mmCIF file of all heavy atoms in Angstrom:
data_model
loop_
_atom_site.group_PDB
_atom_site.id
_atom_site.type_symbol
_atom_site.label_atom_id
_atom_site.label_comp_id
_atom_site.label_asym_id
_atom_site.label_seq_id
_atom_site.Cartn_x
_atom_site.Cartn_y
_atom_site.Cartn_z
ATOM 1 N N GLY A 140 -22.109 18.124 -16.994
ATOM 2 C CA GLY A 140 -23.509 18.359 -16.626
ATOM 3 C C GLY A 140 -24.516 17.770 -17.592
ATOM 4 O O GLY A 140 -25.725 17.887 -17.368
ATOM 5 N N ALA A 141 -24.059 17.111 -18.677
ATOM 6 C CA ALA A 141 -25.004 16.524 -19.651
ATOM 7 C C ALA A 141 -25.718 15.342 -19.003
ATOM 8 O O ALA A 141 -25.130 14.568 -18.265
ATOM 9 C CB ALA A 141 -24.247 16.077 -20.889
ATOM 10 N N ARG A 142 -26.997 15.230 -19.273
ATOM 11 C CA ARG A 142 -27.812 14.170 -18.675
ATOM 12 C C ARG A 142 -28.382 13.250 -19.751
ATOM 13 O O ARG A 142 -28.716 13.673 -20.851
ATOM 14 C CB ARG A 142 -28.975 14.786 -17.885
ATOM 15 C CG ARG A 142 -28.540 15.457 -16.573
ATOM 16 C CD ARG A 142 -28.097 14.396 -15.590
ATOM 17 N NE ARG A 142 -27.990 14.843 -14.209
ATOM 18 C CZ ARG A 142 -26.846 15.173 -13.609
ATOM 19 N NH1 ARG A 142 -25.726 15.198 -14.278
ATOM 20 N NH2 ARG A 142 -26.821 15.495 -12.320
ATOM 21 N N SER A 143 -28.529 11.970 -19.393
ATOM 22 C CA SER A 143 -29.055 10.964 -20.302
ATOM 23 C C SER A 143 -30.575 11.060 -20.404
ATOM 24 O O SER A 143 -31.240 11.469 -19.454
ATOM 25 C CB SER A 143 -28.676 9.587 -19.747
ATOM 26 O OG SER A 143 -29.366 8.585 -20.419
ATOM 27 N N SER A 144 -31.100 10.642 -21.559
ATOM 28 C CA SER A 144 -32.554 10.553 -21.676
ATOM 29 C C SER A 144 -33.054 9.207 -21.155
ATOM 30 O O SER A 144 -34.247 8.995 -20.998
ATOM 31 C CB SER A 144 -32.980 10.754 -23.140
ATOM 32 O OG SER A 144 -32.333 9.783 -23.935
ATOM 33 N N LEU A 145 -32.127 8.273 -20.890
ATOM 34 C CA LEU A 145 -32.525 6.967 -20.351
ATOM 35 C C LEU A 145 -32.934 7.125 -18.888
ATOM 36 O O LEU A 145 -32.371 7.923 -18.166
ATOM 37 C CB LEU A 145 -31.360 5.970 -20.403
ATOM 38 C CG LEU A 145 -30.793 5.576 -21.757
ATOM 39 C CD1 LEU A 145 -29.665 4.566 -21.570
ATOM 40 C CD2 LEU A 145 -31.882 4.974 -22.620
ATOM 41 N N ARG A 146 -33.912 6.368 -18.469
ATOM 42 C CA ARG A 146 -34.305 6.364 -17.055
ATOM 43 C C ARG A 146 -34.174 4.935 -16.543
ATOM 44 O O ARG A 146 -35.131 4.176 -16.530
ATOM 45 C CB ARG A 146 -35.756 6.852 -16.904
ATOM 46 C CG ARG A 146 -35.970 8.281 -17.334
ATOM 47 C CD ARG A 146 -35.371 9.282 -16.318
ATOM 48 N NE ARG A 146 -35.484 10.653 -16.798
ATOM 49 C CZ ARG A 146 -34.551 11.293 -17.491
ATOM 50 N NH1 ARG A 146 -33.413 10.687 -17.800
ATOM 51 N NH2 ARG A 146 -34.734 12.534 -17.885
ATOM 52 N N LEU A 147 -32.960 4.572 -16.148
ATOM 53 C CA LEU A 147 -32.695 3.193 -15.749
ATOM 54 C C LEU A 147 -33.238 2.909 -14.354
ATOM 55 O O LEU A 147 -33.008 3.700 -13.430
ATOM 56 C CB LEU A 147 -31.189 2.928 -15.738
ATOM 57 C CG LEU A 147 -30.433 2.992 -17.066
ATOM 58 C CD1 LEU A 147 -28.945 2.790 -16.822
ATOM 59 C CD2 LEU A 147 -30.958 1.928 -18.016
ATOM 60 N N SER A 148 -33.934 1.792 -14.210
ATOM 61 C CA SER A 148 -34.345 1.347 -12.879
ATOM 62 C C SER A 148 -33.139 0.676 -12.214
ATOM 63 O O SER A 148 -32.186 0.282 -12.918
ATOM 64 C CB SER A 148 -35.492 0.348 -12.993
ATOM 65 O OG SER A 148 -34.996 -0.854 -13.563
ATOM 66 N N PRO A 149 -33.154 0.495 -10.885
ATOM 67 C CA PRO A 149 -32.037 -0.195 -10.234
ATOM 68 C C PRO A 149 -31.797 -1.579 -10.840
ATOM 69 O O PRO A 149 -30.646 -1.997 -11.007
ATOM 70 C CB PRO A 149 -32.484 -0.289 -8.775
ATOM 71 C CG PRO A 149 -33.408 0.868 -8.602
ATOM 72 C CD PRO A 149 -34.127 1.016 -9.905
ATOM 73 N N LYS A 150 -32.876 -2.282 -11.189
ATOM 74 C CA LYS A 150 -32.720 -3.626 -11.764
ATOM 75 C C LYS A 150 -32.063 -3.536 -13.152
ATOM 76 O O LYS A 150 -31.175 -4.331 -13.489
ATOM 77 C CB LYS A 150 -34.103 -4.287 -11.877
ATOM 78 C CG LYS A 150 -34.048 -5.735 -12.319
ATOM 79 C CD LYS A 150 -35.416 -6.398 -12.163
ATOM 80 C CE LYS A 150 -35.387 -7.858 -12.583
ATOM 81 N NZ LYS A 150 -35.130 -8.069 -13.987
ATOM 82 N N GLN A 151 -32.476 -2.552 -13.945
ATOM 83 C CA GLN A 151 -31.870 -2.386 -15.281
ATOM 84 C C GLN A 151 -30.385 -2.054 -15.170
ATOM 85 O O GLN A 151 -29.570 -2.553 -15.947
ATOM 86 C CB GLN A 151 -32.595 -1.276 -16.050
ATOM 87 C CG GLN A 151 -33.924 -1.699 -16.636
ATOM 88 C CD GLN A 151 -34.621 -0.527 -17.293
ATOM 89 O OE1 GLN A 151 -34.764 0.543 -16.687
ATOM 90 N NE2 GLN A 151 -35.052 -0.705 -18.530
ATOM 91 N N LEU A 152 -30.054 -1.212 -14.181
ATOM 92 C CA LEU A 152 -28.641 -0.857 -14.002
ATOM 93 C C LEU A 152 -27.834 -2.103 -13.627
ATOM 94 O O LEU A 152 -26.725 -2.312 -14.140
ATOM 95 C CB LEU A 152 -28.490 0.235 -12.932
ATOM 96 C CG LEU A 152 -27.061 0.745 -12.708
ATOM 97 C CD1 LEU A 152 -26.478 1.387 -13.972
ATOM 98 C CD2 LEU A 152 -27.005 1.747 -11.551
ATOM 99 N N ASP A 153 -28.382 -2.931 -12.761
ATOM 100 C CA ASP A 153 -27.707 -4.190 -12.401
ATOM 101 C C ASP A 153 -27.488 -5.059 -13.643
ATOM 102 O O ASP A 153 -26.398 -5.601 -13.857
ATOM 103 C CB ASP A 153 -28.543 -4.985 -11.384
ATOM 104 C CG ASP A 153 -28.203 -4.609 -9.951
ATOM 105 O OD1 ASP A 153 -27.320 -3.750 -9.769
ATOM 106 O OD2 ASP A 153 -28.817 -5.170 -9.030
ATOM 107 N N GLU A 154 -28.524 -5.172 -14.463
ATOM 108 C CA GLU A 154 -28.430 -5.992 -15.687
ATOM 109 C C GLU A 154 -27.360 -5.418 -16.621
ATOM 110 O O GLU A 154 -26.589 -6.146 -17.240
ATOM 111 C CB GLU A 154 -29.780 -6.019 -16.415
ATOM 112 C CG GLU A 154 -30.878 -6.742 -15.654
ATOM 113 C CD GLU A 154 -30.610 -8.233 -15.547
ATOM 114 O OE1 GLU A 154 -30.277 -8.841 -16.570
ATOM 115 O OE2 GLU A 154 -30.711 -8.783 -14.430
ATOM 116 N N MET A 155 -27.339 -4.093 -16.708
ATOM 117 C CA MET A 155 -26.355 -3.407 -17.556
ATOM 118 C C MET A 155 -24.932 -3.726 -17.076
ATOM 119 O O MET A 155 -24.036 -4.006 -17.879
ATOM 120 C CB MET A 155 -26.622 -1.895 -17.482
ATOM 121 C CG MET A 155 -25.805 -1.030 -18.391
ATOM 122 S SD MET A 155 -26.337 0.699 -18.132
ATOM 123 C CE MET A 155 -25.317 1.553 -19.316
ATOM 124 N N MET A 156 -24.741 -3.732 -15.752
ATOM 125 C CA MET A 156 -23.402 -3.968 -15.192
ATOM 126 C C MET A 156 -22.993 -5.438 -15.297
ATOM 127 O O MET A 156 -21.814 -5.749 -15.344
ATOM 128 C CB MET A 156 -23.355 -3.508 -13.730
ATOM 129 C CG MET A 156 -23.419 -1.999 -13.584
ATOM 130 S SD MET A 156 -23.034 -1.455 -11.910
ATOM 131 C CE MET A 156 -24.554 -1.805 -11.053
ATOM 132 N N ILE A 157 -23.968 -6.335 -15.322
ATOM 133 C CA ILE A 157 -23.628 -7.765 -15.420
ATOM 134 C C ILE A 157 -23.407 -8.164 -16.881
ATOM 135 O O ILE A 157 -22.487 -8.910 -17.191
ATOM 136 C CB ILE A 157 -24.732 -8.632 -14.775
ATOM 137 C CG1 ILE A 157 -24.775 -8.389 -13.266
ATOM 138 C CG2 ILE A 157 -24.504 -10.121 -15.062
ATOM 139 C CD1 ILE A 157 -25.999 -8.964 -12.575
ATOM 140 N N HIS A 158 -24.264 -7.651 -17.773
ATOM 141 C CA HIS A 158 -24.256 -8.151 -19.150
ATOM 142 C C HIS A 158 -23.689 -7.181 -20.192
ATOM 143 O O HIS A 158 -23.505 -7.579 -21.348
ATOM 144 C CB HIS A 158 -25.676 -8.573 -19.552
ATOM 145 C CG HIS A 158 -26.237 -9.645 -18.660
ATOM 146 N ND1 HIS A 158 -25.696 -10.897 -18.582
ATOM 147 C CD2 HIS A 158 -27.267 -9.619 -17.782
ATOM 148 C CE1 HIS A 158 -26.382 -11.623 -17.701
ATOM 149 N NE2 HIS A 158 -27.330 -10.868 -17.190
ATOM 150 N N GLY A 159 -23.432 -5.946 -19.845
ATOM 151 C CA GLY A 159 -22.762 -5.004 -20.751
ATOM 152 C C GLY A 159 -23.463 -4.852 -22.091
ATOM 153 O O GLY A 159 -24.663 -4.555 -22.159
ATOM 154 N N SER A 160 -22.705 -5.067 -23.166
ATOM 155 C CA SER A 160 -23.245 -4.881 -24.521
ATOM 156 C C SER A 160 -24.461 -5.760 -24.771
ATOM 157 O O SER A 160 -25.397 -5.348 -25.466
ATOM 158 C CB SER A 160 -22.191 -5.253 -25.564
ATOM 159 O OG SER A 160 -21.194 -4.287 -25.604
ATOM 160 N N THR A 161 -24.448 -6.973 -24.228
ATOM 161 C CA THR A 161 -25.575 -7.892 -24.453
ATOM 162 C C THR A 161 -26.858 -7.284 -23.910
ATOM 163 O O THR A 161 -27.917 -7.342 -24.556
ATOM 164 C CB THR A 161 -25.295 -9.249 -23.762
ATOM 165 O OG1 THR A 161 -24.042 -9.728 -24.240
ATOM 166 C CG2 THR A 161 -26.381 -10.267 -24.040
ATOM 167 N N TRP A 162 -26.772 -6.674 -22.715
ATOM 168 C CA TRP A 162 -27.950 -6.006 -22.139
ATOM 169 C C TRP A 162 -28.443 -4.909 -23.103
ATOM 170 O O TRP A 162 -29.641 -4.820 -23.391
ATOM 171 C CB TRP A 162 -27.601 -5.381 -20.781
ATOM 172 C CG TRP A 162 -28.696 -4.487 -20.277
ATOM 173 C CD1 TRP A 162 -29.811 -4.858 -19.594
ATOM 174 C CD2 TRP A 162 -28.805 -3.063 -20.491
ATOM 175 N NE1 TRP A 162 -30.611 -3.758 -19.364
ATOM 176 C CE2 TRP A 162 -30.020 -2.643 -19.894
ATOM 177 C CE3 TRP A 162 -28.011 -2.098 -21.118
ATOM 178 C CZ2 TRP A 162 -30.439 -1.313 -19.904
ATOM 179 C CZ3 TRP A 162 -28.432 -0.772 -21.131
ATOM 180 C CH2 TRP A 162 -29.628 -0.393 -20.537
ATOM 181 N N ALA A 163 -27.499 -4.096 -23.588
ATOM 182 C CA ALA A 163 -27.881 -2.965 -24.439
ATOM 183 C C ALA A 163 -28.583 -3.458 -25.705
ATOM 184 O O ALA A 163 -29.606 -2.899 -26.128
ATOM 185 C CB ALA A 163 -26.650 -2.133 -24.790
ATOM 186 N N VAL A 164 -28.044 -4.512 -26.303
ATOM 187 C CA VAL A 164 -28.638 -5.034 -27.543
ATOM 188 C C VAL A 164 -30.027 -5.620 -27.257
ATOM 189 O O VAL A 164 -30.980 -5.395 -28.011
ATOM 190 C CB VAL A 164 -27.690 -6.070 -28.203
ATOM 191 C CG1 VAL A 164 -28.389 -6.835 -29.306
ATOM 192 C CG2 VAL A 164 -26.449 -5.352 -28.741
ATOM 193 N N GLU A 165 -30.160 -6.323 -26.132
ATOM 194 C CA GLU A 165 -31.475 -6.888 -25.785
ATOM 195 C C GLU A 165 -32.496 -5.788 -25.491
ATOM 196 O O GLU A 165 -33.694 -5.987 -25.669
ATOM 197 C CB GLU A 165 -31.340 -7.828 -24.580
ATOM 198 C CG GLU A 165 -30.742 -9.167 -25.008
ATOM 199 C CD GLU A 165 -30.448 -10.097 -23.838
ATOM 200 O OE1 GLU A 165 -30.706 -9.704 -22.686
ATOM 201 O OE2 GLU A 165 -29.945 -11.208 -24.110
ATOM 202 N N GLU A 166 -32.010 -4.619 -25.058
ATOM 203 C CA GLU A 166 -32.912 -3.482 -24.815
ATOM 204 C C GLU A 166 -33.228 -2.721 -26.099
ATOM 205 O O GLU A 166 -33.935 -1.708 -26.067
ATOM 206 C CB GLU A 166 -32.270 -2.512 -23.811
ATOM 207 C CG GLU A 166 -32.156 -3.045 -22.405
ATOM 208 C CD GLU A 166 -33.488 -3.125 -21.667
ATOM 209 O OE1 GLU A 166 -34.245 -2.143 -21.697
ATOM 210 O OE2 GLU A 166 -33.773 -4.192 -21.084
ATOM 211 N N GLY A 167 -32.647 -3.169 -27.217
ATOM 212 C CA GLY A 167 -32.954 -2.536 -28.510
ATOM 213 C C GLY A 167 -31.915 -1.547 -28.995
ATOM 214 O O GLY A 167 -32.141 -0.827 -29.967
ATOM 215 N N PHE A 168 -30.741 -1.495 -28.323
ATOM 216 C CA PHE A 168 -29.717 -0.515 -28.704
ATOM 217 C C PHE A 168 -28.630 -1.122 -29.591
ATOM 218 O O PHE A 168 -27.444 -0.848 -29.382
ATOM 219 C CB PHE A 168 -29.077 0.093 -27.447
ATOM 220 C CG PHE A 168 -30.032 0.828 -26.557
ATOM 221 C CD1 PHE A 168 -30.348 0.349 -25.294
ATOM 222 C CD2 PHE A 168 -30.631 2.005 -26.979
ATOM 223 C CE1 PHE A 168 -31.233 1.016 -24.465
ATOM 224 C CE2 PHE A 168 -31.518 2.690 -26.166
ATOM 225 C CZ PHE A 168 -31.825 2.185 -24.901
ATOM 226 N N GLY A 169 -28.989 -1.955 -30.542
ATOM 227 C CA GLY A 169 -27.961 -2.489 -31.426
ATOM 228 C C GLY A 169 -28.341 -3.823 -32.015
ATOM 229 O O GLY A 169 -29.506 -4.243 -31.935
ATOM 230 N N THR A 170 -27.344 -4.460 -32.615
ATOM 231 C CA THR A 170 -27.585 -5.739 -33.281
ATOM 232 C C THR A 170 -26.752 -6.836 -32.607
ATOM 233 O O THR A 170 -25.756 -6.548 -31.946
ATOM 234 C CB THR A 170 -27.170 -5.661 -34.767
ATOM 235 O OG1 THR A 170 -25.736 -5.557 -34.825
ATOM 236 C CG2 THR A 170 -27.775 -4.454 -35.465
ATOM 237 N N LYS A 171 -27.166 -8.086 -32.803
ATOM 238 C CA LYS A 171 -26.447 -9.211 -32.191
ATOM 239 C C LYS A 171 -24.993 -9.259 -32.651
ATOM 240 O O LYS A 171 -24.103 -9.658 -31.897
ATOM 241 C CB LYS A 171 -27.137 -10.531 -32.565
ATOM 242 C CG LYS A 171 -28.335 -10.810 -31.696
ATOM 243 C CD LYS A 171 -28.944 -12.150 -32.029
ATOM 244 C CE LYS A 171 -30.205 -12.339 -31.199
ATOM 245 N NZ LYS A 171 -31.003 -13.472 -31.645
ATOM 246 N N GLU A 172 -24.764 -8.831 -33.905
ATOM 247 C CA GLU A 172 -23.394 -8.865 -34.446
ATOM 248 C C GLU A 172 -22.471 -7.911 -33.672
ATOM 249 O O GLU A 172 -21.264 -8.137 -33.577
ATOM 250 C CB GLU A 172 -23.388 -8.478 -35.936
ATOM 251 C CG GLU A 172 -24.030 -9.497 -36.858
ATOM 252 C CD GLU A 172 -25.548 -9.523 -36.775
ATOM 253 O OE1 GLU A 172 -26.153 -8.488 -36.374
ATOM 254 O OE2 GLU A 172 -26.144 -10.571 -37.081
ATOM 255 N N ASP A 173 -23.050 -6.846 -33.104
ATOM 256 C CA ASP A 173 -22.231 -5.882 -32.346
ATOM 257 C C ASP A 173 -21.531 -6.569 -31.179
ATOM 258 O O ASP A 173 -20.368 -6.282 -30.874
ATOM 259 C CB ASP A 173 -23.110 -4.752 -31.763
ATOM 260 C CG ASP A 173 -23.739 -3.875 -32.834
ATOM 261 O OD1 ASP A 173 -23.258 -3.905 -33.987
ATOM 262 O OD2 ASP A 173 -24.708 -3.168 -32.511
ATOM 263 N N VAL A 174 -22.259 -7.438 -30.501
ATOM 264 C CA VAL A 174 -21.744 -8.060 -29.275
ATOM 265 C C VAL A 174 -20.481 -8.865 -29.570
ATOM 266 O O VAL A 174 -19.483 -8.784 -28.838
ATOM 267 C CB VAL A 174 -22.838 -8.950 -28.637
ATOM 268 C CG1 VAL A 174 -22.274 -9.751 -27.476
ATOM 269 C CG2 VAL A 174 -24.009 -8.090 -28.183
ATOM 270 N N ALA A 175 -20.520 -9.626 -30.660
ATOM 271 C CA ALA A 175 -19.362 -10.477 -31.001
ATOM 272 C C ALA A 175 -18.132 -9.642 -31.343
ATOM 273 O O ALA A 175 -17.009 -10.129 -31.233
ATOM 274 C CB ALA A 175 -19.722 -11.378 -32.176
ATOM 275 N N HIS A 176 -18.358 -8.379 -31.744
ATOM 276 C CA HIS A 176 -17.243 -7.541 -32.164
ATOM 277 C C HIS A 176 -16.776 -6.582 -31.061
ATOM 278 O O HIS A 176 -16.327 -5.471 -31.348
ATOM 279 C CB HIS A 176 -17.599 -6.783 -33.445
ATOM 280 C CG HIS A 176 -17.483 -7.649 -34.670
ATOM 281 N ND1 HIS A 176 -17.655 -7.186 -35.932
ATOM 282 C CD2 HIS A 176 -17.187 -8.956 -34.792
ATOM 283 C CE1 HIS A 176 -17.487 -8.175 -36.801
ATOM 284 N NE2 HIS A 176 -17.209 -9.256 -36.128
ATOM 285 N N CYS A 177 -16.933 -6.996 -29.814
ATOM 286 C CA CYS A 177 -16.394 -6.224 -28.691
ATOM 287 C C CYS A 177 -15.365 -7.083 -27.971
ATOM 288 O O CYS A 177 -15.529 -8.301 -27.852
ATOM 289 C CB CYS A 177 -17.481 -5.887 -27.672
ATOM 290 S SG CYS A 177 -18.719 -4.743 -28.256
ATOM 291 N N GLU A 178 -14.316 -6.447 -27.457
ATOM 292 C CA GLU A 178 -13.392 -7.148 -26.566
ATOM 293 C C GLU A 178 -14.227 -7.783 -25.446
ATOM 294 O O GLU A 178 -15.161 -7.139 -24.938
ATOM 295 C CB GLU A 178 -12.400 -6.116 -25.999
ATOM 296 C CG GLU A 178 -11.312 -6.715 -25.156
ATOM 297 C CD GLU A 178 -10.247 -5.674 -24.768
ATOM 298 O OE1 GLU A 178 -10.017 -4.716 -25.536
ATOM 299 O OE2 GLU A 178 -9.656 -5.823 -23.683
ATOM 300 N N GLU A 179 -13.904 -9.017 -25.078
ATOM 301 C CA GLU A 179 -14.650 -9.751 -24.038
ATOM 302 C C GLU A 179 -16.116 -9.973 -24.415
ATOM 303 O O GLU A 179 -16.945 -10.233 -23.529
ATOM 304 C CB GLU A 179 -14.603 -8.997 -22.689
ATOM 305 C CG GLU A 179 -13.235 -8.854 -22.091
ATOM 306 C CD GLU A 179 -12.706 -10.136 -21.446
ATOM 307 O OE1 GLU A 179 -13.465 -10.828 -20.767
ATOM 308 O OE2 GLU A 179 -11.523 -10.435 -21.676
ATOM 309 N N GLY A 180 -16.452 -9.838 -25.682
ATOM 310 C CA GLY A 180 -17.860 -9.933 -26.078
ATOM 311 C C GLY A 180 -18.702 -8.847 -25.417
ATOM 312 O O GLY A 180 -19.913 -8.982 -25.252
#
Side-chain angles (χ1 to χ4, degrees):
Chain A
R142 288 290 195 260
S143 168
S144 57
L145 297 181
R146 296 287 175 267
L147 295 176
S148 69
K150 186 170 181 294
Q151 282 176 310
L152 183 61
D153 271 359
E154 293 293 312
M155 186 179 182
M156 290 191 282
I157 293 168
H158 301 296
S160 288
T161 305
W162 170 84
V164 168
E165 283 174 0
E166 291 288 312
F168 299 113
T170 69
K171 279 183 184 168
E172 291 74 24
D173 294 342
V174 172
H176 281 185
C177 292
E178 185 173 330
E179 297 284 318

